[in-house]
Amino acid sequence: MNGFKTRIAVLSIFAAAFVTACGGVAEVASGTSVASGTAIRQGAVRATSWTSVKWGGGGYVSGLIYHPTSANVLYARTDVGGAYRWNQSASKWTPITDGFSVAEAAFLYVESIGLDPTNDQLVYMVAGNGSGNGRLYISTNQGSSWTWVALPFVVNGNGIGRATGERLRLDPTNPSTMFYGSRMAGLWKSTNSGQTWAQVTGLSSYTTTNDMVGVEHLIFDNGNVGGGQTTWNMWAAVAPDYANAAGLSSIFYRSSDGGYSWTPAAVPAAVAGYYIPHYVRAADGAYYVVFNKNSGPGGDGPGYLYKYSGLGGVWTLLSSTTAGGYGGVSVFGTGASTRIALAVTNTWGNTSDKKIVQLSDNAGGTWREIEAAMAHTPSDGAYWGWNDDIEIDPNNRDHIMHVTGGGAFETLNASSATPSWTMKVNSLEETATLSLAVPPAGATYKLVNSAGDIGTWVQTDLATKPTKGPTADWSVGNSADISWTNSQYIASVGTLNLSGVGFGTWSGDGGATWTNFATLPTGGATPYGEVASIAVTAHSNVIWAPSNTVPSYTTNNGASWTATNLPVLAPQSWQRAYRLAADRRNSNKVYAYDSGGVAWSGTPGRVYVSTDAGHTFTLSQGSVSANLRANGWKATSMAVNPNAEGDIWLADGNTVYHSVDSGATWTKLNNFASVWGSNSPDYGIPDLQGASYVALGKAAAGAPYSAAVYVVGTINGQWGVWASDNAGSTWTRFNDAAHQFGGIGVMAADWNTYGRIYVTGVGRGLLYSN
C-alpha cells in the first residue's frame, strides 16, 4: 500500500473533488471552513456521530509534529486526507479537518503544520493540492474549528518531497513572526501571525510555474520560548531544483538579521546538490542535518547525516548509507550523550539485515538498528518503505515514532535491546474506497469494500481490520457484488498493481476462500484505474463491465464469457464504463447505466434493461425522454430497491430520477439541482453537483416506503447527504457542517440497521453513521 496516495488519490474521490483539482470549485463566502446548515424538511433520521470503519492507516502520513513544551500534544498531517490530533486519554487520533466542505477538498492536502510554543491551543496548517495558491488555516482550539487566510504562493501537500519540513516555522521567542519555505516562489515571511505575507527577496525573488521541492525548511538558532524578542540567526535549506533554477550558489543559507539577508554556507562536497529533507537543532546549539540524493517520498540514497557545529561551520560526518536513503532525523538531549534517531527510507522487507531506524546514544559515535526484524503489532504491518519522518517524543526519550506509506509506527521502549513496535493508526484512516457492496440483512458480514491499492475485503466487524479478501497482493479493488438469494456468493474485479493486469474472482463461502475466474472477458485484463462494474444475478452468474469495453456475462464462474449486445462506448479522454445493477426480486432483470461520459463532451445518459439475466439489453426509451445529463463515472450512480421489482433510483450528477416499472418511465425529483458558476461556460461542470450518489437501506419502522433513500447532493444550494423515508416526498439533511469530509465519493446503506450509511470522504477512508 506504500505510495498509494501519490498515484490514485485524486482519481479515487468524487466528482466535486475533481472539479476542485481543476481549480474551478466555488470558494466559501468567508474565511471560515465550516458553515452552519439546516434541514430542508423534517422527518428522516439524522446521523448523530460518525465512526471510521477499521482498516488501520492505509495512506501516507507525511509528517508528525509535537508541541515543543506541552506533553502529548501531537499532530499528524497526511498528503490527501487532512490532519489529525492525538487524543492521549482515548489513545486514538481525532480528525480535525472533517468539517471541510466540498469547496475545500483541495485543502485536505496538508503540506505543513506549525505550532505556537507559547500557546498549545494555537495551530497553523498550510494546505493545497497544487492547482493554485494555498491557504493558511488557523485554529485557536487545537483544530476543533478553523479560519483561513489566502496565501500568495502555490502549495501542494501531495507533491514531490512532501515529507520535507516542516516548511512552516514560527519564531520560538516571537511566534507572531513566521516563515514559509514554498515550492515555487522561494521563502516567505509574515510578522502578523500569518495574516499577510511578503517574499523574502534577500534569499531569492525567483518564481516559477514548475513543480519542485523548493525552499525546504528553516530553523531558528534559538532554543528559548517566548519573550517577544526576534530571533536574528537562522538557517534555511534550499532544494537543488530551486537553487539551480534561481541561480543560488548553495543549498544551505544563513541569516543573521532576522531573515532580511542571506549568506550561502558551504556544504561537504559529497552532498553538493543533495536534498535536505530534515534537520534539527539540539539544545546545545549543534545541528544534525540529513542529506539525501533524491527528494522522496521514499527517496533513494546515497544518504548522509552530518553534525554542523554552530557559526564556525564545521561539518562532521556521523553516518552514511547506499542501501536506501535517509529521510528524517530527531534528537534528544545534548552533548556527548545526545540520542539521535535516524530514519532510513526506501528499504523494503522485514529481515535482520535491513536498516529501518538507526539509533545512537553518543551523538552519532556508534549506531544500532532498533526496528528491523523486531516484534511488531500487527505482525504483518509494512513498517519499511517510506520512512521519511521520525520524531523522538520531546518528553520521553524512549518513545519514538516514524511515518510510513501506510500510517505511522511507534516504540515505547527504544532503549531496550529489542524494542517492540506498534502501528499508531487508531482512528487514522486514509484509504480510498472505489465501490461498496452491502449484503441483505442477516448475512455473515457487514460489507464488501473495494478500494485503491489495498484491494477488496469482506468486513465482518466494523471495528476490526478485515482478513477476508481475494488476494493479499498489492492490488486495486474496483467492484464487487453479492447474490441476494445466497449472500455467501461474492464476485469481485480488480487490478494487480505490479503487473498492471486486471483479474476477477469469486467466493462461495462469504469471503473465506476465493477462486479466480478461469478466463477473462474482453477488456478484463486491461488496467482500468477505478472504473469498472460487476453484477451478480445468481450463484455463478455474473456480468462484468470493464472500462471502455462492452460488458460480458458468464454462467459458469468465468469458465467462459459471452459479450452482451450493449453499444460500444465512444472513447473519451476519461475512462468510462457501464454501471450494472441486478434486480433483487427478479433475477432475470439487470440494469445498465451509461452516464454519457464527461460533462463537457459526453452524450445524454442512457439506461438499458435486460430480462434474460444480463445476456441481452434493450434501451429504455423512458431514459431517453428523461434527457439525463452527461456526467462522468464519479458524479453518477444507480441503486435498485431489493424489496420491489423494477424499483430503480438514478443520480445523473444534476438531479435524481426514480422508476418503478423497470425503467420504462422515470420521475424526476425536482428537489435536487446543481449550483452553476465559474466552471459552467468552459466545462459544463457545476460548482456543486446536484446529485452524485444515491443509496438505499433499511426502512424506518412504519415508513410508507420499503427503503430509506439517501442522496449525496444539493437542495436549495446546500450540499450534503439527504435522507428520505417516503420515497423522496420530503428530505432531511443527514449529515451536518462538522462532517462534510471535503465531499463524499462513494455511499452505501445498511440493510440491518436503519439510519446507517457508509461513506468515503476525501482521503478519509470509510466511515459509517451512528
Side-chain angles (χ1 to χ4, degrees):
M1 80 189 77
N2 286 321
F4 157 51
K5 291 297 182 288
T6 308
R7 301 185 303 102
I8 67 168
V10 176
L11 295 177
S12 66
I13 58 180
F14 66 115
F18 160 72
V19 178
T20 301
C22 291
V25 168
E27 298 295 328
V28 292
S30 64
T32 138
S33 67
V34 176
S36 62
T38 57
I40 299 302
R41 291 190 176 96
Q42 301 297 318
V45 71
R46 298 186 189 186
T48 57
S49 63
W50 297 83
T51 304
S52 290
V53 176
K54 180 70 172 181
W55 167 262
Y60 189 32
V61 175
S62 48
L64 299 165
I65 304 94
Y66 274 102
H67 194 274
T69 58
S70 293
N72 300 316
V73 178
L74 168 67
Y75 294 84
R77 60 178 169 92
T78 72
D79 52 2
V80 300
Y84 296 78
R85 182 185 67 250
W86 179 247
N87 184 330
Q88 179 68 14
S89 60
S91 191
K92 66 180 183 179
W93 293 98
T94 298
I96 57 175
T97 48
D98 279 357
F100 279 34
S101 67
V102 173
E104 294 176 291
F107 305 105
L108 291 169
Y109 298 58
V110 183
E111 191 170 73
S112 190
I113 290 178
L115 306 180
D116 189 322
T118 67
N119 179 359
D120 67 8
Q121 297 294 304
L122 193 53
V123 184
Y124 299 89
M125 181 178 73
V126 176
N129 70 351
S131 64
N133 289 348
R135 286 181 181 174
L136 172 70
Y137 281 86
I138 304 169
S139 175
T140 59
N141 51 19
Q142 294 190 337
S144 295
S145 62
W146 299 93
T147 59
W148 56 265
V149 175
L151 294 172
F153 47 82
V154 172
V155 172
N156 188 359
N158 196 34
I160 56 173
R162 54 192 177 275
T164 293
E166 295 299 309
R167 294 174 179 270
L168 179 63
R169 294 289 185 175
L170 280 62
D171 187 333
T173 53
N174 184 20
S176 62
T177 293
M178 56 185 67
F179 288 81
Y180 197 83
S182 77
R183 292 177 173 273
M184 301 157 63
L187 184 65
W188 292 74
K189 179 180 180 180
S190 172
T191 58
N192 54 8
S193 299
Q195 296 301 306
T196 60
W197 292 82
Q199 190 181 43
V200 181
T201 57
L203 178 65
S204 174
S205 59
Y206 178 75
T207 299
T208 179
T209 57
N210 297 322
D211 187 27
M212 54 180 57
V213 176
V215 177
E216 294 165 301
H217 47 136
L218 176 147
I219 286 185
F220 294 91
D221 193 1
N222 188 350
N224 298 319
V225 173
Q229 299 299 313
T230 296
T231 299
W232 296 108
N233 295 318
M234 58 192 72
W235 302 88
V238 182
D241 51 15
Y242 183 82
N244 292 336
L248 299 178
S249 60
S250 180
I251 57 172
F252 201 52
Y253 277 80
R254 174 177 177 262
S255 175
S256 58
D257 54 13
Y260 179 76
S261 63
W262 294 83
T263 302
V267 300
V271 296
Y274 275 45
Y275 292 87
I276 304 177
H278 286 90
Y279 63 122
V280 293
R281 181 186 184 276
D284 59 6
Y287 292 88
Y288 295 86
V289 186
V290 165
F291 295 89
N292 205 57
K293 179 67 174 178
N294 295 296
S295 63
D300 201 5
Y304 296 84
L305 174 67
Y306 280 88
K307 178 180 179 180
Y308 187 74
S309 301
L311 301 181
V314 177
W315 295 94
T316 303
L317 178 64
L318 302 181
S319 181
S320 64
T321 184
T322 56
Y326 286 155
V329 63
S330 185
V331 299
F332 190 103
T334 64
S337 61
T338 299
R339 166 165 282 188
I340 309 173
L342 182 60
V344 186
T345 190
N346 200 43
T347 59
W348 303 83
N350 182 18
T351 56
S352 59
D353 63 334
K354 301 292 183 182
K355 290 183 178 180
I356 307 296
V357 173
Q358 293 275 286
L359 190 71
S360 174
D361 281 320
N362 54 9
T366 58
W367 298 87
R368 64 186 179 97
E369 173 61 32
I370 64 168
E371 185 166 17
M374 303 297 175
H376 282 76
T377 304
S379 59
D380 61 347
Y383 59 84
W384 50 83
W386 287 9
N387 189 0
D388 294 324
D389 182 28
I390 193 165
E391 302 294 336
I392 303 175
D393 186 333
N395 293 283
N396 180 359
R397 68 193 299 268
D398 278 337
H399 181 203
I400 299 177
M401 293 181 63
H402 69 83
V403 306
T404 72
F409 274 87
E410 72 173 355
T411 180
L412 296 172
N413 59 343
S415 295
S416 168
T418 56
S420 56
W421 293 81
T422 303
M423 204 170 188
K424 190 167 185 166
V425 290
N426 187 14
S427 292
L428 191 159
E429 301 290 348
E430 205 187 350
T431 58
T433 292
L434 305 179
S435 174
L436 289 169
V438 177
T444 59
Y445 53 94
K446 302 292 187 182
L447 57 90
V448 182
N449 179 9
S450 301
D453 273 16
I454 64 170
T456 294
W457 296 92
V458 178
Q459 199 95 30
T460 58
D461 180 352
L462 301 180
T464 304
K465 183 175 181 176
T467 59
K468 296 181 178 181
T471 179
D473 292 338
W474 185 31
S475 65
V476 172
N478 292 107
S479 181
D481 196 27
I482 301 156
S483 169
W484 215 250
T485 57
N486 176 12
S487 60
Q488 293 296 95
Y489 184 84
I490 308 167
S492 74
V493 294
T495 305
L496 295 171
N497 282 331
L498 292 180
S499 65
V501 175
F503 72 103
T505 185
W506 64 275
S507 172
D509 52 15
T513 60
W514 294 81
T515 302
N516 283 349
F517 291 139
T519 63
L520 299 177
T522 300
T526 304
Y528 36 74
E530 76 235 52
V531 178
S533 182
I534 194 169
V536 173
T537 59
H539 193 294
S540 308
N541 289 261
V542 176
I543 307 98
W544 181 352
S547 178
N548 305 313
T549 305
V550 171
S552 296
Y553 67 89
T554 180
T555 59
N556 49 22
N557 279 326
S560 61
W561 295 87
T562 304
T564 68
N565 67 331
L566 284 165
V568 174
L569 297 176
Q572 293 183 343
S573 56
W574 293 83
Q575 290 175 322
R576 56 190 299 200
Y578 285 97
R579 193 180 292 274
L580 303 171
D583 193 304
R584 305 306 188 182
R585 305 294 291 185
N586 183 343
S587 60
N588 285 319
K589 288 186 177 180
V590 180
Y591 310 103
Y593 172 38
D594 168 21
S595 66
V598 291
W600 56 89
S601 63
T603 57
R606 296 286 188 267
V607 175
Y608 298 82
V609 181
S610 171
T611 57
D612 58 3
H615 299 185
T616 61
F617 288 81
T618 301
L619 174 63
S620 160
Q621 292 299 328
S623 72
V624 177
S625 300
N627 193 27
L628 305 177
R629 182 176 291 276
N631 268 303
W633 177 268
K634 293 184 292 296
T636 58
S637 61
M638 179 173 61
V640 176
N641 185 356
N643 298 312
E645 182 179 340
D647 192 341
I648 317 167
W649 292 79
L650 186 147
D652 74 344
N654 187 57
T655 193
V656 176
Y657 293 84
H658 185 202
S659 174
V660 294
D661 53 13
S662 301
T665 60
W666 294 85
T667 300
K668 180 179 179 180
L669 278 68
N670 292 316
N671 311 75
F672 297 92
S674 298
V675 174
W676 299 90
S678 57
N679 285 306
S680 305
D682 296 328
Y683 300 109
I685 301 174
D687 290 348
L688 292 173
Q689 295 285 170
S692 58
Y693 226 94
V694 59
L696 307 177
K698 182 178 181 178
Y705 181 61
S706 60
V709 186
Y710 305 90
V711 173
V712 177
T714 306
I715 295 180
N716 291 347
Q718 183 180 50
W719 178 91
V721 180
W722 301 90
S724 175
D725 288 335
N726 51 22
S729 294
T730 60
W731 296 90
T732 298
R733 191 179 183 197
F734 187 75
N735 68 323
D736 59 22
H739 300 92
Q740 303 184 82
F741 314 117
I744 290 171
V746 175
M747 178 175 64
D750 195 270
W751 289 103
N752 287 288
T753 304
Y754 169 65
R756 171 161 294 172
I757 65 172
Y758 305 94
V759 301
T760 64
V762 177
R764 271 286 282 122
L766 185 61
L767 302 107
Y768 65 93
S769 60
N770 300 292

